[in-house]
C-alpha cells in the first residue's frame, strides 16, 4: 500500500537550472572565466551547497577564484540571485497535476525530496509557493544529505515514518531512480516533464488500490 509520494523539484516541478539554462555561463562571462570549466566545477561541487555545509554564494566565489577570475572581488550576490530566479521555469501543469492527485488521495503523504541549495530553495518558494503542496520538506540541505545516497533516503524515510516499500520516488535522474529501487521503493522516472502528467495519476492509483477520496487538510 502506498503511504508516501517523494517528489523531486528540478526536472519535475521546475527546470534544471545548471543543465538547461545559461545561468552558469552568464556568471562565467560576467567574471571573465571559461564557461565550460565553471559549469564542470559547479556540478562537481554541488554537494557542498546542496548538503547545507556551505552557502551557495561562498561556493561560487571560491570556484571563480580557483578559475582565475580577475573580478571575483566584485562578486554581486544579488545579481546572481536575480539571474537564478529569472532562469527558473515552473512546470505549472505538473504542479497542478500533483495537487490534484494529492487531493484525491489524502492518505498519501507528500514529501519534497530534492537536491538544492537552501538559499535557492527559499528563493523559488518565495516566487512559486511550492512548499505548500507538501506534508514534509526534505530538501537535501534540510536533511544534511544529498540524493542518491543511502543516508539521504534513510533520513528522509525516517522523518516521515515510512517504510521504503510504502514509498514512490518521482525523479528525473536515473541514478536516483536506481538507488530508490535498490532500497525497495516504487519509482517513476520523469524522462521529460510531460511524463508526470501522463503517468502520475495512474501510477498512484495502481499502488494505492483504493477509490480516490478528497483531501480535507
Amino acid at each position: 500500500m502506498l503511504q508516501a509520494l517523494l517528489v523531486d523539484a528540478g526536472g519535475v516541478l521546475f527546470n534544471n537550472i545548471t543543465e538547461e539554462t545559461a545561468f552558469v555561463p552568464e556568471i562565467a562571462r560576467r567574471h571573465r572565466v571559461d564557461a565550460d570549466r565553471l559549469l564542470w566545477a559547479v556540478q562537481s561541487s554541488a554537494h557542498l551547497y546542496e548538503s547545507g555545509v556551505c552557502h551557495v554564494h561562498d561556493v561560487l566565489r571560491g570556484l571563480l577564484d580557483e578559475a582565475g577570475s580577475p573580478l571575483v572581488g566584485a562578486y554581486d550576490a544579488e545579481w546572481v540571485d536575480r539571474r537564478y530566479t529569472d532562469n527558473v521555469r515552473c512546470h505549472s501543469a505538473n504542479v497542478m497535476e500533483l495537487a490534484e492527485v494529492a487531493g484525491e488521495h489524502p492518505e498519501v503523504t507528500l514529501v519534497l525530496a530534492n537536491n538544492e541549495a537552501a538559499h535557492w530553495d527559499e528563493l523559488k518558494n518565495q516566487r512559486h509557493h511550492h512548499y505548500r503542496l507538501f506534508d514534509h520538506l526534505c530538501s537535501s540541505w534540510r536533511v544534511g544529505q544529498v540524493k542518491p545516497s543511502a543516508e539521504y533516503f534513510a533520513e528522509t524515510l525516517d522523518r516521515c515514518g515510512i517504510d521504503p516499500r510504502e514509498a514512490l520516488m518521482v525523479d528525473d535522474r536515473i541514478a536516483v531512480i536506481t538507488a530508490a529501487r535498490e532500497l525497495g521503493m516504487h519509482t517513476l522516472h520523469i524522462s521529460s516533464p510531460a511524463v508526470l502528467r501522463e503517468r502520475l495519476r495512474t501510477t498512484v492509483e495502481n499502488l494505492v488500490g483504493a477509490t480516490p477520496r478528497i483531501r480535507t487538510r
Side-chain angles (χ1 to χ4, degrees):
M1 178 69 73
L2 182 65
Q3 297 293 326
L5 179 57
L6 280 64
V7 183
D8 183 38
V12 178
L13 302 180
F14 299 94
N15 57 340
N16 280 310
I17 301 301
T18 55
E19 294 93 337
E20 299 178 27
T21 76
F23 173 61
V24 174
E26 287 175 359
I27 295 175
R29 285 195 297 271
R30 182 180 176 92
H31 295 87
R32 300 180 189 173
V33 299
D34 181 78
D36 290 337
R37 177 180 175 184
L38 183 63
L39 180 59
W40 178 87
V42 168
Q43 293 174 334
S44 299
S45 303
H47 64 285
L48 295 175
Y49 55 80
E50 289 176 346
S51 65
V53 171
C54 302
H55 195 287
V56 65
H57 286 311
D58 292 335
V59 173
L60 286 175
R61 286 191 192 93
L63 295 177
L64 288 167
D65 190 32
E66 291 175 8
S69 171
L71 300 174
V72 68
Y75 181 88
D76 185 343
E78 292 185 357
W79 178 86
V80 173
D81 285 347
R82 287 195 300 273
R83 297 311 306 134
Y84 180 85
T85 54
D86 286 348
N87 276 289
V88 170
R89 298 291 178 268
C90 179
H91 300 316
S92 56
N94 282 2
V95 172
M96 184 178 299
E97 181 72 5
L98 179 61
E100 290 179 358
V101 171
E104 293 169 358
H105 294 283
E107 71 278 19
V108 177
T109 298
L110 263 64
V111 183
L112 178 62
N114 63 319
N115 286 344
E116 182 59 285
H119 185 62
W120 287 339
D121 217 13
E122 299 287 354
L123 286 180
K124 281 206 293 285
N125 184 60
Q126 289 172 18
R127 177 168 292 192
H128 299 286
H129 310 290
H130 62 294
Y131 285 0
R132 63 188 177 187
L133 290 172
F134 297 95
D135 302 294
H136 294 281
L137 301 176
C138 292
S139 299
S140 53
W141 62 272
R142 294 178 184 270
V143 176
Q145 302 289 342
V146 179
K147 292 181 306 179
S149 70
E151 293 80 5
Y152 173 84
F153 285 115
E155 179 64 22
T156 296
L157 292 170
D158 183 64
R159 289 185 180 202
C160 302
I162 299 297
D163 184 278
R165 294 167 296 182
E166 301 171 333
L168 169 64
M169 180 74 237
V170 179
D171 205 287
D172 66 313
R173 292 176 57 202
I174 287 292
V176 174
I177 293 296
T178 300
R181 285 176 180 166
E182 289 175 351
L183 291 171
M185 299 170 66
H186 303 282
T187 60
L188 176 57
H189 179 220
I190 306 300
S191 55
S192 71
V195 172
L196 184 138
R197 300 189 297 279
E198 295 168 355
R199 296 183 54 195
L200 180 64
R201 186 181 304 271
T202 300
T203 301
V204 169
E205 291 179 357
N206 286 341
L207 292 172
V208 168
T211 302
R213 293 174 287 168
I214 302 300
R215 177 172 289 234
T216 58
R217 66 175 177 82

